Amino acid sequence: MRLALLAMAIGAFGIGTTEFVIMGLLPEVSADLHVSESTAGNLIAGYAIGVVIGAPLLTVLSTRLPRRGALLLFMGMFAVGNLLTALAPEFGAVLGFRVLTGLPHGAYFGAAAVAAAQLAEPGRRARNVARVFLGLTIANIVGVPVGTWLGQELGWRATFGVVAAIGLVAVAGIALCVPRLAKPEGVRLRHELTGLGNRQVVLGLLTIVLGCSGVFAVYTYIAPTMKALADYTEAGVTGVLALFGVGMTLGSLIGGRMADRALRPSVYGTLASLALVLLAFSFLARNPWTAALAVLLLGMACFATATVIQVFLMVKAEHAPTLTSASHHAAFNLANAIGAWIGGAAIGAGLGYGAPALAGAAMAGFGLSLALAAGRLDRPRPQHAAGEDPGPPEADLVSAGSGSAR
């Protein structure tokens, strides 16, 4: 089982690297392709568009595939997309291949989350999923800095060639180490689409959009914020960004344990902590030491929240595990786009680099309010018949059989 989780985590590492490394390579890309850096920035948006489109579309198209087959398809697409990006001759082709590379992102994580849960013993489902997602968080600690350095030394195409190779390693690992997993009984495309329409699932997806958009209002502009408020050099900013990755890793582990113990309270707690960290960020970012702490805490709160809500969505969409998990990633990327716009609007209005964090805290607060409202709507109805069983609590559902949550 550990080798299977490692193989899927390697795929997650490759995806995390290719998603974020482009931010550090925009100068190299723009110089090589003879476009402005602002134009090259469209490669970031292109990847996000691919994720938003591909997550539900590829998941729906692959519902009849076994889990391992779906994982191999998505990771194969990812490897090919990165290779074509590295070989593309002009900017339009690079942009198109970035969209292609983003298509399997959410679908891969959806299938990997389900597979990891099916491999888990009762009571360890969320922790298994968190271990797969460690690949994504570790990418921000190791993959992005190393990929940026490699691209600066050997050219940006070398970075995407290496990422394509990582994708091929993941393909081999999945083929050799992930066993054939039975499709959860009763799960069909019709059930996936119906489950995605569950009111609690819709509210959960909206919660991740609102809550995590606050994070990206800050993270999108983290480099100029650290330079302007905390007097960091470019080398210092690189170290601070690695701290965000460390925080993501810790948050993923913490969120997995919290979700296994008390699911709904964990949703409230992580969103509240996210709002508080964002509120404090505006003030902590004005000193180099406290700014570093704030970035670490922001990464922790962000991925603890994302992990907990991921588990919550899978519990509430019992017969739509794959499509719901993939939609979670689409919602996360939508939060990325919205947060970037909010942060840019705050800075553009002349409110300073501390303003995005305050706006982000408000967004996280809205997310918490929505989660609380969803909780009130989800309270069990009063029982009219004596001895009627109200059903298992959410904490038990997380630890239920392998086809129930992920």
Side-chain angles (χ1 to χ4, degrees):
M1 182 187 73
R2 290 182 178 179
L3 289 177
L5 295 178
L6 176 61
M8 291 186 286
I10 290 173
F13 177 86
I15 289 176
T17 300
T18 205
E19 180 178 14
F20 293 109
V21 75
I22 188 66
M23 298 175 184
L25 294 177
L26 287 184
E28 287 73 24
V29 173
S30 64
D32 183 56
L33 298 178
H34 307 293
V35 297
S36 66
E37 287 191 17
S38 60
T39 299
N42 290 323
L43 298 176
I44 300 171
Y47 186 90
I49 290 171
V51 177
V52 173
I53 295 173
L57 179 62
L58 289 181
T59 300
V60 167
L61 293 177
S62 65
T63 51
R64 295 187 179 276
L65 291 177
R67 301 298 181 198
R68 187 174 67 175
L71 288 169
L72 290 172
L73 171 64
F74 300 145
M75 190 47 53
M77 289 181 61
F78 170 81
V80 170
N82 277 285
L83 180 60
L84 291 174
T85 299
L87 298 175
E90 46 87 25
F91 178 77
V94 175
L95 179 59
F97 291 136
R98 282 291 288 176
V99 175
L100 173 65
T101 306
L103 289 175
H105 177 126
Y108 174 82
F109 280 114
V114 174
Q118 286 183 265
L119 291 169
E121 299 174 356
R124 299 187 63 87
R125 298 162 59 78
R127 271 169 275 189
N128 259 25
V129 175
R131 286 174 181 173
V132 171
F133 277 72
L134 279 178
L136 179 61
T137 58
I138 292 174
N140 284 273
I141 303 173
V142 179
V144 172
V146 172
T148 300
W149 171 81
L150 181 66
Q152 292 169 344
E153 294 295 321
L154 301 179
W156 65 272
R157 297 177 187 276
T159 297
F160 289 99
V162 170
V163 173
I166 293 173
L168 292 177
V169 170
V171 168
I174 292 168
L176 293 173
C177 301
V178 176
R180 293 183 181 275
L181 297 170
K183 190 174 181 180
E185 185 178 354
V187 176
R188 299 290 185 273
L189 174 58
R190 174 170 53 86
H191 296 144
E192 291 267 352
L193 294 173
T194 302
L196 190 62
N198 180 294
R199 180 173 61 182
Q200 289 296 318
V201 172
V202 173
L203 292 174
L205 291 172
L206 289 175
T207 298
I208 201 71
V209 171
L210 289 174
C212 288
S213 65
V215 175
F216 290 109
V218 174
Y219 187 65
T220 304
Y221 305 97
I222 194 68
T225 298
M226 292 293 101
K227 292 177 182 178
L229 299 184
D231 295 325
Y232 272 101
T233 63
E234 289 187 1
V237 168
T238 301
V240 168
L241 293 178
L243 280 178
F244 186 82
V246 172
M248 291 168 65
T249 303
L250 294 174
S252 180
L253 293 171
I254 292 170
R257 291 185 176 274
M258 291 176 64
D260 276 334
R261 292 184 178 181
L263 185 52
R264 178 78 74 171
S266 295
V267 173
Y268 302 151
T270 53
L271 283 166
S273 69
L274 184 57
L276 290 174
V277 168
L278 284 164
L279 182 63
F281 190 96
S282 180
F283 306 98
L284 295 176
R286 301 175 189 279
N287 174 277
W289 294 102
T290 56
L293 175 63
V295 171
L296 176 68
L297 293 176
L298 184 62
M300 289 177 62
C302 175
F303 256 65
T305 301
T307 300
V308 167
I309 295 182
Q310 171 97 9
V311 178
F312 172 81
L313 290 172
M314 300 313 299
V315 168
K316 292 302 179 182
E318 181 178 358
H319 295 296
T322 311
L323 185 56
T324 300
S325 183
S327 297
H328 173 270
H329 288 274
F332 199 75
N333 275 266
L334 183 57
N336 189 344
I338 293 174
W341 178 81
I342 291 173
I347 294 171
L351 301 178
Y353 284 102
L358 298 178
M363 295 302 294
F366 291 144
L368 175 58
S369 299
L370 183 60
L372 290 169
R376 291 180 63 87
L377 292 172
D378 203 32
R379 288 179 179 175
R381 296 178 180 178
Q383 303 301 321
H384 298 288
E388 186 174 349
D389 183 7
E394 289 170 347
D396 292 338
L397 286 173
V398 177
S399 302
S402 64
S404 65
R406 288 266 177 180

